Amino acid sequence: MDIKQLKDNIRNFSLDDGDLGSQGYTQVLLQLFGFTGHGKSSFINSCKYVLEDVENFIEYAEARETPEGCTMKRNAYPLTELITIVDNRGCSKLKHFERAEVYAQLGNFIPIGQEVVWRGNYQPVMEDLVNAESEPNFTDFIVPIFMYNARQQIKEKEMEEVKTFLNNCMEMTGVFPIIVLTFKTNADYMELEKQFRLMGAETVIAIENYTPGSHIKTLGRTTEILMVIDSALRNVRFRMEQPRDPRRERIERKKFLLNYIHQISLHHEREKIENEKREQDTKGEDKSWKCPIL
């Protein structure tokens, strides 16, 4: 598919194209997520750049390659009247509570523009869920897009953890995350693509983002960026061929998140009890060691 066809597919996309119509959805939300510094903000700038047919590169989303990342809150950027791309805050590691925060972002339970803070307990996430009920948003069709820096290989011991994370994102949204490998020209991304395929990924696309220092448009780079958006829309079209209930799906996302929070809370409570028991056992051993022999 050439660039013109890809652009036409994106610009002319309609939620009413299928036999069942929009079924209550009003827009497609491309939810970017992943680790900090893996190119989410740069990808947004690249998408805007290739779709707007402009020669001047504009940095809509602040993008800096730092361990902490630049994005501290959920920011939305319209690509067309029906397609919005969201820059969610990246996480440093896939810790349990950070995952809960990511799921809350993916599930649209944190309002656009709200600051995202990584917290060490479940209570704040629960509060976000309660606050989200004041203005429930169930009309966005969510497509998860997982951004990953191709220069950072996934260790074998981490694969099962990442696989579970991606499967949970599919449970949340009904769409398996599209995997976008960034910095493709600076790494051997083919082995990484194979790893994601083994985790169940259906779509893996390696790209090189446009940046202020590298913004001369090329055929290959532009095509690959457009292919990510087009792949997301093909997922939407496929899912819209089946009967959908946006209100019910939002409820199911909330159930999933509540259950996840409950499970990690139990897990941490068990760990706490086990640690306390080990400490007591250690102290007991120390005391018996110090007792004089009579």
Side-chain angles (χ1 to χ4, degrees):
M1 194 178 300
D2 62 25
I3 287 177
K4 184 179 184 306
Q5 287 176 303
L6 287 167
K7 286 184 179 180
D8 286 345
N9 286 350
I10 295 167
R11 290 168 175 165
N12 299 327
F13 172 81
S14 173
L15 286 163
D16 293 311
D17 285 344
D19 294 337
L20 301 176
S22 68
Q23 302 191 66
Y25 294 104
T26 59
Q27 72 167 335
V28 173
L29 218 59
L30 307 181
Q31 296 258 31
L32 306 186
F33 69 107
F35 298 102
T36 55
H38 280 232
K40 294 185 295 297
S41 298
S42 293
F43 179 65
I44 288 172
N45 295 329
S46 298
C47 288
K48 299 279 285 183
Y49 187 47
V50 299
L51 277 174
E52 292 179 354
D53 288 330
V54 294
E55 291 302 320
N56 296 324
F57 181 85
I58 299 174
E59 198 171 22
Y60 292 93
E62 185 180 2
R64 298 289 182 273
E65 194 179 345
T66 63
E68 299 80 14
C70 291
T71 304
M72 297 300 170
K73 54 185 167 182
R74 297 187 74 222
N75 295 313
Y77 303 86
L79 296 181
T80 70
E81 289 185 1
L82 291 176
I83 306 167
T84 296
I85 191 167
V86 180
D87 195 2
N88 292 301
R89 183 177 182 183
C91 56
S92 57
K93 295 181 180 179
L94 286 179
K95 297 178 182 177
H96 287 299
F97 288 113
E98 285 193 349
R99 287 191 218 181
E101 295 281 1
V102 171
Y103 297 149
Q105 292 181 77
L106 278 181
N108 239 8
F109 294 113
I110 298 177
I112 297 296
Q114 180 172 308
E115 185 176 358
V116 177
V117 180
W118 302 126
R119 297 162 288 201
N121 64 80
Y122 72 92
Q123 190 61 39
V125 184
M126 297 288 288
E127 291 174 2
D128 286 337
L129 287 175
V130 172
N131 293 333
E133 292 309 305
S134 61
E135 294 182 23
N137 182 344
F138 52 83
T139 60
D140 294 337
F141 191 111
I142 299 169
V143 180
I145 300 178
F146 185 64
M147 312 291 296
Y148 196 86
N149 187 338
R151 296 174 298 187
Q152 299 186 23
Q153 294 294 316
I154 301 176
K155 298 176 183 177
E156 188 173 343
K157 63 181 181 180
E158 298 172 340
M159 283 188 63
E160 195 60 36
E161 188 177 58
V162 175
K163 180 180 178 180
T164 299
F165 178 59
L166 295 175
N167 282 329
N168 283 344
C169 292
M170 180 179 67
E171 289 290 325
M172 282 279 292
T173 63
V175 176
F176 197 96
I178 294 170
I179 310 299
V180 178
L181 305 179
T182 56
F183 302 99
K184 67 170 287 188
T185 59
N186 294 289
D188 181 6
Y189 63 87
M190 299 186 73
E191 181 60 31
L192 189 58
E193 178 178 346
K194 180 181 176 181
Q195 284 183 301
F196 276 109
R197 297 281 184 190
L198 290 173
M199 292 183 222
E202 299 176 348
T203 304
V204 183
I205 301 174
I207 69 164
E208 189 70 36
N209 281 316
Y210 287 109
T211 65
S214 178
H215 60 268
I216 297 177
K217 289 182 178 177
T218 66
L219 175 63
R221 192 183 296 196
T222 298
T223 300
E224 287 158 357
I225 292 167
L226 290 172
M227 282 175 59
V228 176
I229 307 172
D230 183 67
S231 295
L233 298 181
R234 282 191 279 114
N235 272 278
V236 175
R237 291 188 187 96
F238 174 76
R239 293 289 282 143
M240 292 293 286
E241 290 174 1
Q242 307 151 49
R244 308 296 301 273
D245 185 342
R247 290 178 184 270
R248 170 54 56 184
E249 288 171 16
R250 185 180 185 279
I251 291 172
E252 293 303 318
R253 288 198 297 270
K254 185 175 180 180
K255 285 182 180 179
F256 172 88
L257 188 51
L258 287 171
N259 181 63
Y260 180 79
I261 293 170
H262 175 65
Q263 293 300 325
I264 61 174
S265 299
L266 291 176
H267 173 74
H268 279 268
E269 189 61 32
R270 285 193 297 268
E271 280 190 337
K272 181 181 177 182
I273 294 171
E274 289 171 2
N275 289 335
E276 290 174 350
K277 186 177 184 301
R278 277 194 292 268
E279 288 179 6
Q280 290 173 355
D281 292 343
T282 302
K283 289 179 181 178
E285 290 174 2
D286 290 342
K287 286 180 180 180
S288 63
W289 175 261
K290 294 177 182 178
C291 285
I293 300 176
L294 300 179

